[in-house]
Amino acid sequence: MQSTMMDVPLSLNHLLERAGRLFGANEIVTRRLDKSLVTHRYADFHRRSRALASALQRLGLGKGDRVATLSWNHHAHLECYFGIPAAGGVMHTLNLRLSPDELGWIAGDAEDRYLIVDDVLLPLYEKFAAMHRFEKVIVFPYSGAPVPAGYVDYEQLLADADPDGHVYADHDEHDPVAMCYTSGTTGRSKGVVYSHRSTILHMLVGCMPDCWGLKATDVVLPVTPMFHANSWGVPYAAVALGVKLVLPGPHLHPEDLLDLMQEVPPTLALGVPTIWMGLIQALDASQQTRPGRWKLPPGMRSLVGGAAVPESLIRAFAKHDVWILQGWGMTETSPLATVSYQRNELRDAGDDERFRRLAMAGVPVPLVDVRIRDVDGRDAPWDGEAMGEIQVRGPFITGSYHRLPVSPDKFTDDGWLRTGDVATMDELGFVRITDRTKDLIKSGGEWISSVDLENALMAHPAVAEAAVIAIPDPKWSERPLACVVFKPGQAIAASELEATFGPLLTKQGFAKWQLPDRYEVIDAVPRTSTGKFSKLKLRERFVR
Ligand code: ADP
């Protein structure tokens, strides 16, 4: 017997056309370089994305050809998300926080033919221009200034193109639409290539009520860069539902984001924990200096992920009626693989249990299989205690890397992705990340979780940020070193650190041998190219 269902491929083109037909009047708000706001309608987005597709085809873009973007979060970047695939191309988002050397290498590895770049990022492009020759460099005049000679003007290109002039290439749902490189914290960056199918399935899972719970009346603020795992897929979801988007451009300082939230209050915002840590500190500080200047939008939901989300942060936002939902994933997993939400079994749980769960990575989302494998390659029991590497499998999980052989350190023989993250899983399927394999601290043969120590330290009211790294030790092989950033005016004297934090950590259940041997007070925790704590840089500084 055969199914009677139509064989229609899942396609981003469908979402683009649907948005044009159904949501023409809905808004996409962008923050300009001068911080003023400009509003486009979905009708503009539809026309301009099609014009981009038409222009790219006229330039000679062929099916599967890569078009790189080097851009902040704004309306033109959203046009690339749909216009490039509409022309049959693959959008390759370049991470503007990487070094020029890495960018040049990545553009070469991806064999990018064209580049669409913000005028304000041309100085960065020029630093790697010699490493990779794009056939055309198309400049989006984000600043409003005229596009310098020698480049193609994005606006002129669109103005000259016929929005009905492109041909939707015939495609299979497995055809590629976008690619993104991993940040390369462990070796060279690797290319992950998303398909129509993986992108749409991931977007549908993300829209579910226990995830983003996206609905037509939402106003979405993606602080997560559009060059980082496709801003976690939320731009695709916004277009699918015609949801109002607020795109912050390069203005990501806490003060700027708080100002933006007063002007266009979002109902859903997405970003890494460091962004939200900065936001709550700025907000709390302003309540002393300028009470009433800022208010968080009441009832706002916030999906936070990309690094562990401390319970103290979730509680701090809850006091402002803002609800943080934690997700775990990686570029390779599109990225949403687990989400912490309130399972039915926990309906009657008290606040403490609820917050404890929210501070976990969460439960596997539909379509994603998760297993925890111990060092001997056996399945670890779901008892919340046994640790092992998380391995995942599913229709929006990468099964290989661009141009690389499938290697056993990244994929298992039976086809699961090895994430390199260490975790436990409990009887309800809640994953708790204890570390990245390379960040775990091995002391006297026992593992110490740097994430657990950091979360406990960040629960101290004077601590703004904490990052724990391993330092070599002749006796124990490794011992924990805690780097602490204090809130302004709340520093604790170096001589008092151990006496302050030791009892706090012991009270939270840490054994004596798990306590940091050393504390260092620093001004700020260095960040990676995706805005997370950079333990690599801390190790360079403190491990000699
Ligand atoms: P990178 O961190 O290398 O830039 P990704 O953005 O793909 O690359 O990040 C994936 C990694 O981020 C995961 O493997 C994991 O270590 C970390 N991560 C993501 N979400 C969480 C979370 N909720 N808790 C702890 N770690 C997380």
Side-chain angles (χ1 to χ4, degrees), residues 304-382:
V304 183
V309 187
E311 186 177 323
S312 51
L313 188 73
I314 302 173
R315 284 182 180 265
F317 273 96
K319 283 201 193 116
H320 293 271
D321 191 20
V322 169
W323 301 96
I324 288 189
L325 200 70
Q326 175 164 195
W328 166 83
M330 55 206 304
T331 304
E332 288 89 331
T333 64
S334 288
L336 220 51
T338 67
V339 168
S340 188
Y341 66 96
Q342 196 185 2
R343 284 190 56 142
N344 190 34
E345 292 85 338
L346 301 168
R347 213 181 26 215
D348 302 322
D351 268 4
D352 283 351
E353 177 64 1
R354 235 162 26 93
F355 281 117
R356 191 179 75 82
R357 295 276 175 178
L358 287 174
M360 294 182 174
V363 178
V365 297
L367 308 185
V368 174
D369 286 323
V370 173
R371 70 185 185 192
I372 310 278
R373 283 278 159 113
D374 66 16
V375 276
D376 302 318
R378 284 185 307 242
D379 276 329
W382 290 18

Side-chain angles (χ1 to χ4, degrees), residues 33 112 115 119 125 165 191 232 242 249 309 322 378 386 462 481 508 515 533:
L33 194 64
D112 295 331
L115 172 70
D119 58 357
Y125 157 67
W232 301 347
V309 187
V322 169
R378 284 185 307 242
L481 159 72
Q508 297 200 31
L515 304 185
F533 287 171

Side-chain angles (χ1 to χ4, degrees), residues 95 181-186 228-229 232 273 304-309 326-333 335 338 359-362 419-421 433-436 438-439 451 528-530 532:
N95 178 346
Y181 276 69
T182 62
S183 71
T185 35
T186 50
H228 188 201
W232 301 347
V304 183
V309 187
Q326 175 164 195
W328 166 83
M330 55 206 304
T331 304
E332 288 89 331
T333 64
T338 67
M360 294 182 174
T419 66
D421 282 339
I433 310 284
T434 47
D435 248 315
R436 279 187 153 188
K438 61 184 185 327
D439 291 337
V451 173
T528 68
S529 65
T530 48
K532 308 180 196 181

Side-chain angles (χ1 to χ4, degrees), residues 223-257:
V223 181
T224 315
M226 290 171 79
F227 56 77
H228 188 201
N230 299 329
S231 201
W232 301 347
V234 89
Y236 298 114
V239 170
L241 300 177
V243 163
K244 179 166 174 174
L245 273 168
V246 191
L247 302 169
H251 306 296
L252 304 180
H253 288 301
E255 292 76 12
D256 289 328
L257 290 172

Side-chain angles (χ1 to χ4, degrees), residues 123-372:
L124 173 59
Y125 157 67
E126 277 155 10
K127 289 195 190 129
F128 66 89
M131 287 181 71
H132 177 76
R133 221 194 126 268
F134 295 98
E135 286 170 43
K136 286 269 184 283
V137 176
I138 302 162
V139 176
F140 170 59
Y142 179 57
S143 72
V147 168
Y151 295 113
V152 179
D153 179 341
Y154 181 86
E155 288 301 339
Q156 196 58 51
L157 189 75
L158 263 54
D160 293 343
D162 173 5
D164 299 322
H166 80 289
V167 184
Y168 278 126
D170 260 354
H171 71 82
D172 188 70
E173 64 183 21
H174 295 283
D175 283 347
V177 289
M179 81 183 295
C180 187
Y181 276 69
T182 62
S183 71
T185 35
T186 50
R188 264 286 186 216
S189 288
K190 293 181 278 297
V192 171
V193 185
Y194 308 101
S195 63
H196 284 277
R197 176 183 153 87
S198 70
T199 305
I200 290 202
L201 291 176
H202 175 265
M203 177 274 285
L204 291 174
V205 165
C207 284
M208 291 178 45
D210 282 325
C211 200
W212 309 322
L214 208 61
K215 49 189 187 308
T217 48
D218 270 322
V219 178
V220 180
L221 168 65
V223 181
T224 315
M226 290 171 79
F227 56 77
H228 188 201
N230 299 329
S231 201
W232 301 347
V234 89
Y236 298 114
V239 170
L241 300 177
V243 163
K244 179 166 174 174
L245 273 168
V246 191
L247 302 169
H251 306 296
L252 304 180
H253 288 301
E255 292 76 12
D256 289 328
L257 290 172
L258 285 163
D259 282 344
L260 185 59
M261 286 179 180
Q262 315 311 299
E263 286 174 86
V264 193
T267 56
L268 173 71
L270 298 94
V272 292
T274 43
I275 292 276
W276 304 117
M277 285 175 201
L279 213 67
I280 201 84
Q281 280 164 38
L283 188 68
D284 288 347
S286 79
Q287 280 170 348
Q288 316 287 324
T289 51
R290 275 177 70 183
R293 179 182 181 193
W294 293 310
K295 190 170 179 291
L296 291 174
M300 182 172 87
R301 299 153 2 246
S302 171
L303 184 76
V304 183
V309 187
E311 186 177 323
S312 51
L313 188 73
I314 302 173
R315 284 182 180 265
F317 273 96
K319 283 201 193 116
H320 293 271
D321 191 20
V322 169
W323 301 96
I324 288 189
L325 200 70
Q326 175 164 195
W328 166 83
M330 55 206 304
T331 304
E332 288 89 331
T333 64
S334 288
L336 220 51
T338 67
V339 168
S340 188
Y341 66 96
Q342 196 185 2
R343 284 190 56 142
N344 190 34
E345 292 85 338
L346 301 168
R347 213 181 26 215
D348 302 322
D351 268 4
D352 283 351
E353 177 64 1
R354 235 162 26 93
F355 281 117
R356 191 179 75 82
R357 295 276 175 178
L358 287 174
M360 294 182 174
V363 178
V365 297
L367 308 185
V368 174
D369 286 323
V370 173
R371 70 185 185 192
I372 310 278

